[in-house]
Amino acid sequence: MKIKDVIDALDGFAPLPLQEDFDNAGLQVGLTEAEVSGALLCLEATEQIVDEAVEKGCNLIVTHHPLIFHKLRQVSDADYVQRTVMKAIRHDITIVSMHTNLDSAEGGVNYMIARRLGADMQSVKLLGEHEVNGIMGGLGIVCQLPEAMGAADFIDKVKETFGVKVAMTNELLQRPVKRVAICGGAGSFMLPQAVEAQADAFLTGEMHYHEYFGHEQEIQIVVIGHYESEQYTINLLEEIIKAKCPEVRTCMTELVTNPIIVR
């Protein structure tokens, strides 16, 4: 099976037209006609990730976050992006990214977050629903928990599920949490739609300071970190590849690429 066959399988699940205008998902580095020796799955490509791919005999790296997000004016050793591009080319490794298209896709990143929380998956609905070339997408979702729970218990469940030491929240909601809106990563822009959807809680990875104001007793905000919210995306990537390309060997990275350290 060729690398392009794996890319086609990924694109079939989360078509590139679903990506946002600012994004650069899809092929990042390398050639696609080569036979795939293995796919290393990770959130982002770094020099160390390329080393891991070489060590594990994988000539394909599938990331969530694009390696090349901003225009490259040169390819040198000036920064980690350029060095990673050079190292991947040197080792004949192809890098492909599934970013906001995978965020928006039905069954995508936010669905995985809901699954981890044990939500009723039959209740999931897209937030910010839009159609591109006949394909439905939405950068957020709203879902129902199996049972209502107190706000503090919900926050504790989120922390335990995603292995975080600290969750940033507004004041505790004085009503039970049952309906939850989710937008993994930097999802604060979805807060108004979460409120409009009458969600009891909004779970995301990043929010700005002033965005917490004005929602007291309206919605329980729970922010757990960008990396932490999306960490199980690599499991989703593995599921997609295994479903369409079962003969392809997949490896989930053993490296933590989160640059933020909580002490």
Side-chain angles (χ1 to χ4, degrees):
M1 180 163 284
K2 295 183 177 181
I3 289 174
K4 69 177 183 180
D5 297 320
V6 179
I7 295 175
D8 287 345
L10 292 165
D11 188 61
F13 184 91
L16 282 178
L18 283 179
Q19 72 174 314
E20 297 297 295
D21 292 340
F22 62 80
D23 203 6
N24 187 42
L27 181 65
Q28 305 284 296
V29 177
L31 306 176
T32 63
E33 288 292 338
E35 184 176 341
V36 60
S37 62
L40 179 65
L41 315 176
C42 54
L43 280 191
E44 47 258 326
T46 64
E47 295 167 86
Q48 293 74 29
I49 288 289
V50 175
D51 290 337
E52 184 182 20
V54 172
E55 180 184 341
K56 293 181 175 178
C58 297
N59 64 350
L60 173 62
I61 296 173
V62 183
T63 77
H64 180 43
H65 300 136
L67 171 63
I68 302 173
F69 193 76
H70 302 290
K71 181 179 179 180
L72 291 181
R73 297 188 179 276
Q74 62 182 22
V75 180
S76 68
D77 63 351
D79 57 46
Y80 89 91
V81 172
Q82 296 178 54
R83 291 192 298 270
T84 302
V85 169
M86 291 177 64
K87 181 172 282 192
I89 292 172
R90 189 180 305 126
H91 291 284
D92 293 321
I93 291 175
T94 297
I95 301 175
V96 63
S97 300
M98 305 293 290
H99 193 212
T100 53
N101 53 319
L102 191 59
D103 291 328
S104 286
E106 292 185 287
V109 174
N110 296 312
Y111 287 72
M112 176 59 80
I113 295 172
R115 284 165 55 187
R116 288 282 170 169
L117 283 174
D120 174 9
M121 299 308 294
Q122 298 299 316
S123 71
V124 176
K125 295 181 179 179
L126 292 168
L127 279 182
E129 191 174 39
H130 59 277
E131 184 176 347
V132 181
N133 298 337
I135 306 163
M136 297 306 300
L139 285 170
I141 64 170
V142 62
C143 59
Q144 302 276 353
L145 299 176
E147 296 180 358
M149 58 176 62
D153 291 334
F154 173 71
I155 294 167
D156 287 343
K157 179 178 178 62
V158 170
K159 289 170 63 178
E160 180 181 0
T161 300
F162 295 92
V164 298
K165 298 176 182 178
V166 176
M168 293 177 285
T169 75
N170 56 348
E171 71 176 26
L172 287 180
L173 197 67
Q174 298 303 308
R175 67 173 191 270
V177 171
K178 173 76 171 179
R179 186 171 173 83
V180 180
I182 298 171
C183 184
S188 62
F189 67 94
M190 291 296 299
L191 178 59
Q193 295 190 54
V195 172
E196 184 179 354
Q198 299 183 323
D200 301 307
F202 176 57
L203 173 61
T204 189
E206 292 183 42
M207 279 187 60
H208 294 295
Y209 174 80
H210 290 285
E211 292 173 314
Y212 289 82
F213 284 99
H215 300 288
E216 298 80 11
Q217 300 310 312
E218 180 179 52
I219 192 169
Q220 183 68 65
I221 297 170
V222 185
V223 181
I224 61 173
H226 195 125
Y227 179 95
E228 289 80 2
S229 69
E230 296 181 332
Q231 62 186 289
Y232 297 117
T233 301
I234 61 175
N235 301 79
L236 175 60
L237 291 170
E238 183 178 54
E239 289 178 6
I240 297 167
I241 294 173
K242 288 299 185 186
K244 298 291 186 180
C245 310
E247 62 270 46
V248 172
R249 180 173 61 93
T250 57
C251 305
M252 289 190 284
T253 183
E254 298 178 50
L255 302 177
V256 175
T257 53
N258 188 0
I260 300 171
I261 298 173
V262 178
R263 294 188 180 276

